[in-house]
Every structure is written in structure tokens, then in C-alpha cells.
Amino acid sequence: MSWSSRLALAASALLSAATVVAVHIQQRRELERLRSGVLRDLERQNQKKENIRLLEEQIALTKQFVEERDQALMEKGSQQS
């Protein structure tokens, strides 16, 4: 086998190995990106549930405040009469 054919074979083998390694690295990065996307979605869902819970709590507190204010105003009005 001539020197140039050996060099061509070595270059071809090296290029093939580099391609295989690059594809594996790319697949790992893609898999990690997909996993992180799922984790972000779960975090968003948890944050949304927490926001809804806080909103419901705020609505209940507002209703309680309005009822207490109205009751205090009615009592104040009846005392003035």
C-alpha cells in the first residue's frame, strides 16, 4: 500500500470517528435540552397553581374586608340615628 493511500485511509477513518463523536455529542445536548424543557414546564405549572391559590386567597380576603366594612358602616349609621 502506498504512502498516499495510507494517508487517505487514516484521514477517512479520523473524519468518520470525528463525525460519530460529533453526532453523539449533539444527541446528548438535544436530550438534555428536551429534559430541561420538561422541567421548565413543570415549574411553570407549579407556579401557575401557586398564583391561582394566591389569587383565590386574595379574593376571599377582599370579600371578608368588604363585608366587615359594610357591617361597620351599617353599625355606625344605626348609632347615628
Side-chain angles (χ1 to χ4, degrees), residues 4-61:
S4 61
S5 61
R6 286 182 186 172
L7 183 61
L9 179 62
S12 175
L14 184 61
L15 183 60
S16 295
T19 302
V20 169
V21 168
V23 167
H24 283 291
I25 291 171
Q26 183 180 6
Q27 286 177 339
R28 284 187 189 149
R29 285 182 182 166
E30 181 72 17
L31 183 61
E32 192 61 36
R33 189 180 64 80
L34 290 173
R35 286 181 182 161
S36 67
V38 170
L39 294 176
R40 281 193 311 265
D41 287 345
L42 290 174
E43 182 61 34
R44 276 190 223 127
Q45 288 174 0
N46 290 337
Q47 186 63 46
K48 185 175 180 180
K49 287 178 185 177
E50 178 66 15
N51 288 345
I52 289 171
R53 186 191 66 77
L54 290 172
L55 179 62
E56 290 171 350
E57 183 179 321
Q58 186 65 37
I59 290 170
L61 288 172

Side-chain angles (χ1 to χ4, degrees), residues 64-77:
Q64 180 183 357
F65 171 75
V66 168
E67 288 172 0
E68 290 174 0
R69 183 191 64 188
D70 290 346
Q71 184 179 8
L73 288 174
M74 289 179 75
E75 289 174 1
K76 188 176 181 181

